Amino acid sequence: MEVHQPQKKLINSVESCVDEALCGLVRASGGQSLLKGHRVVVRSDLQSLRGKVALLSGGGSGHEPAHGGYIGAGMLSAAVAGAVFASPPPASILAAILCMHNAGASGVLLVVKNYTGDRLNFGLAAEQARNQGVAVDMVIVADDCAFDLPSKAGRRGLCGTVFIHKLAGALAEEGCSLEHIVSRVREALKGIGTLGVSLSPCSVPGCLPSFQLPPGDMELGLGIHGEPGIKRSKVASADQVVETMVDHMTNPDSQSHLPLKAGDSVVLCVNNLGALSCLEMAVVTRAAIGCLESRGVLVARAMSGSFMTSLEMAGVSLSLMRADGELLRLFDADTSAPAWPNLSSACVSGRGYITEPPVMQTRPQDDTQVEGPLSALMRRALEKVCSALLEKQEELNSLDRASGDGDCGTTHAQAARAAQVWLQGHVVPGCPGRLLSVLSGLVEEKMGGSSGALYSLFLTAAAGHVTQGQSDAAAWARAVHAGTQAMRRYGGADPGDRTMLDALCPAAEELMKLATAPPGGQKAVLRSAVQKASSGAEATRHMTARAGRASYIAADRVTLPDPGAVAVTAILRAVLETLEEEK
């Protein structure tokens, strides 16, 4: 029989996790403090409430950053937390109300999600507060669009609650009366709807998952306490899922639909239910904006992130609020609440969001080239280099399989073929630096990966040292040295790290002797440089890799020479052979 274990949580204990989470929230925020003896977070500047309406919300824990993250000027004055997914006790709710009343608040508005436990406990505390002379009122948020025929309990309160926190908070900050705020937010509630979808259940600390969802399935219309939804289906693309959600939310045949027509202006909230990656959230946000715009709906504002979660549920909810200019003014008003995003006040729809790139110079490999005295020799050298790399493709791949991903020969062959194709349709420029620039562009585009970047760096840095008027042996030595140093500077490797530099660096150092070698001794220096490269490549057999992909492989498993160093040796040997064939 299969035995299920509770999900692992990064907590200290099931019993202490809520209190420790509240403590962590408050310790990290200078604008909040804990009400001693209660799971209540309040503004630390309670004196600023004097003469204004205070806002109190709350509910079960597990929905963070709701509700404590929305405490601050322009949003909530306090929040009451229950145990995970459990309504807070009336005594703590009453303590929070009285705390704000004693601070001089002109009234207290309770913003409550439509769950029976929350309605009962907040309602009881409200009645008790009224008996003590407190002006208190309650707004119920019921924004769930899941059920076509809601039960007597009504629509659930979901992430649309955060919209009410913001609107009511802005009105309270402006000094509006309790009655006026209640009237305005109840009107706004008629234009708010939310629907969620999830790819996984969630689990209360110490408990098994709230429901089982087979791999590859998704649940539409689920609640924020892990309650199953209204429809289960196979996971579709983000675009299709969003389309399904918006269709359901706005379906006029459903009693809980959000009336929405072309020309309406909305605020969109894409809410991470807990475990979606930021990448997925951005994909869904793009899909949601595009879906609404395709229906003629103007997206005035869009917020995307974690606003009302369900522990570690891998899902997302979409909340929409029809918004006129006045609601947008309240939505845009400043707040110091730490969980409220830093949003732009620019309209999302209709805003140009593509910036044209600067006009780039043509690629060197596309330029028209002019031949010179060295063109024929450089063509033969390049052809021999390409042939050598193609011949060594399988050898390099085999060496790479022992220490990397097995594609070193393939990537070098790609560069070689790209150079061959270029040679077929172009003349080789007489300026060596121009040829090196062409090769740099080719390997950057066709070779790819870190090898392409390294060779392109080498060739780019070397190109400036060999011009049509300065291309003697000493200039080529300086070019190779400059290219090698660029590889070391940007690649972060050094000789001894078991990379191509173990062949290239000793060769480059030997080539610097060309500056002082007599005309008859230059080929001897070249032969010595190739030998140094070969010895350096062979020595990598006994080195511990400290850079590149091979550095992640156990040292005792890497006993063959580094393929990059072998490739460098082959390139240098091909150049030497070309020069030795010259009369």
Side-chain angles (χ1 to χ4, degrees):
M1 187 176 73
E2 186 179 1
V3 178
H4 294 284
Q5 296 291 331
Q7 291 279 338
K8 293 179 180 179
K9 308 281 186 184
L10 192 58
I11 57 176
N12 293 311
S13 73
V14 171
E15 297 75 22
S16 68
C17 64
V18 170
D19 295 299
E20 291 177 351
L22 290 173
C23 181
L25 169 72
V26 169
R27 291 299 302 272
S29 172
Q32 301 177 347
S33 68
L34 283 168
L35 194 60
K36 188 175 181 180
H38 298 277
R39 286 172 172 167
V40 174
V41 180
V42 299
R43 284 175 60 171
S44 53
D45 59 344
L46 285 173
Q47 69 280 359
S48 65
L49 295 177
R50 182 168 298 279
K52 295 181 179 179
V53 173
L55 264 62
L56 172 65
S57 190
S61 296
H63 306 304
E64 292 75 18
H67 294 271
Y70 303 116
I71 295 172
M75 287 193 79
L76 298 181
S77 312
V80 191
V84 175
F85 292 173
S87 181
S92 290
I93 300 170
L94 179 61
I97 294 171
L98 294 177
C99 179
M100 292 180 289
H101 176 69
N102 294 340
S106 61
V108 180
L109 175 60
L110 310 183
V111 181
V112 181
K113 300 188 297 299
N114 190 32
Y115 295 98
T116 302
D118 287 354
R119 292 180 68 137
L120 289 172
N121 290 345
F122 276 88
L124 175 55
E127 291 300 322
Q128 293 170 337
R130 286 192 188 101
N131 289 340
Q132 298 186 41
V134 181
V136 59
D137 206 340
M138 187 160 75
V139 169
I140 305 292
V141 180
D143 56 317
D144 184 17
C145 293
F147 298 98
D148 292 344
L149 293 170
S151 67
K152 188 173 182 180
R155 299 163 63 188
R156 298 169 293 194
L158 301 173
C159 191
T161 309
V162 179
F163 288 150
I164 298 303
H165 293 342
K166 187 66 183 65
L167 301 180
L171 290 165
E173 194 68 23
E174 291 176 358
C176 295
S177 68
L178 179 59
E179 294 75 18
H180 180 72
I181 296 172
V182 169
S183 173
R184 292 290 300 278
V185 298
R186 283 182 177 157
E187 188 62 30
L189 276 168
K190 297 175 184 177
I192 296 177
T194 297
L195 187 68
V197 67
S198 184
L199 313 182
S200 80
C202 62
S203 60
V204 173
C207 301
L208 295 174
S210 52
F211 61 93
Q212 295 299 319
L213 194 58
D217 281 10
M218 65 180 188
E219 189 98 18
L220 182 71
L222 72 176
I224 55 172
H225 304 100
E227 315 98 309
I230 57 167
K231 180 183 177 183
R232 185 169 291 186
S233 60
K234 292 299 179 184
V235 175
S237 69
D239 287 353
Q240 291 171 318
V241 170
V242 166
E243 194 79 26
T244 299
M245 294 174 76
V246 175
D247 279 342
H248 190 90
M249 292 173 71
T250 59
N251 179 9
D253 295 332
S254 168
Q255 290 185 10
S256 60
H257 81 285
L258 173 67
L260 201 63
K261 63 184 185 301
D264 282 348
S265 176
V266 299
V267 174
L268 164 68
C269 176
V270 184
N271 172 54
N272 192 343
L273 288 172
L276 283 194
S277 65
C278 293
L279 185 146
E280 291 167 286
M281 286 295 295
V283 170
V284 173
T285 300
R286 168 201 164 274
I289 293 171
C291 177
L292 291 166
E293 290 179 337
S294 71
R295 296 164 188 244
V297 175
L298 181 80
V299 181
R301 304 286 186 274
M303 50 197 286
S304 177
S306 298
F307 304 109
M308 185 173 288
T309 62
S310 186
L311 293 170
E312 81 285 18
M313 185 178 286
V316 64
S317 66
L318 300 180
S319 294
L320 297 173
M321 177 175 68
R322 291 198 310 268
D324 57 17
E326 176 60 13
L327 277 189
L328 289 177
R329 185 187 68 81
L330 297 172
F331 184 83
D332 291 339
D334 289 341
T335 178
S336 62
W340 186 256
N342 183 20
L343 297 172
S344 166
S345 59
C347 186
V348 174
S349 295
R351 181 182 74 85
Y353 60 94
I354 302 295
T355 299
E356 291 297 327
V359 178
M360 304 293 286
Q361 292 181 337
T362 57
R363 302 180 309 168
Q365 57 266 41
D366 296 333
D367 291 343
T368 302
Q369 308 296 344
V370 178
E371 288 187 296
L374 292 175
S375 294
L377 176 60
M378 290 192 295
R379 174 179 286 272
R380 289 193 294 274
L382 183 53
E383 287 171 343
K384 188 173 281 287
V385 166
C386 292
S387 297
L389 291 177
L390 289 169
E391 287 172 9
K392 283 193 169 287
Q393 179 175 350
E394 286 309 315
E395 178 188 342
L396 295 175
N397 279 341
S398 178
L399 291 173
D400 197 29
R401 279 192 286 272
S403 59
D405 50 7
D407 68 346
C408 182
T410 302
T411 55
H412 281 79
Q414 288 171 346
R417 291 192 190 97
Q420 286 179 331
V421 170
W422 183 86
L423 282 170
Q424 290 171 7
H426 297 81
V427 299
V428 173
C431 173
R434 293 288 298 273
L435 177 60
L436 296 186
S437 293
V438 167
L439 295 175
S440 173
L442 288 173
V443 298
E444 180 186 349
E445 180 181 345
K446 302 295 185 180
M447 191 175 189
S450 56
S451 294
L454 285 167
Y455 277 111
S456 189
L457 272 169
F458 176 93
L459 293 163
T460 301
H465 293 269
V466 276
T467 63
Q468 196 141 15
Q470 191 174 19
S471 57
D472 59 4
W476 277 102
R478 289 193 296 272
V480 172
H481 182 265
T484 304
Q485 291 304 109
M487 276 187 167
R488 294 180 65 175
R489 181 162 58 250
Y490 295 107
D494 289 302
D497 288 346
R498 200 181 189 279
T499 69
M500 64 172 69
L501 288 175
D502 289 302
L504 186 56
C505 285
E509 187 177 338
E510 187 68 14
L511 287 174
M512 290 304 288
K513 295 179 181 177
L514 288 171
T516 55
Q522 291 178 342
K523 285 189 178 177
V525 173
L526 290 174
R527 293 187 198 100
S528 177
V530 172
Q531 183 55 48
K532 296 270 187 181
S534 179
S535 300
E538 184 63 21
T540 60
R541 288 179 181 272
H542 313 294
M543 294 179 185
T544 299
R546 290 194 289 268
R549 202 182 299 267
S551 62
Y552 304 110
I553 309 296
D556 57 355
R557 292 177 54 197
V558 183
T559 57
L560 296 171
D562 178 73
V566 172
V568 165
T569 303
I571 292 169
L572 292 174
R573 180 168 284 117
V575 173
L576 172 64
E577 289 173 358
T578 304
L579 294 173
E580 287 187 323
E581 290 169 1
E582 289 297 298
K583 294 180 181 179

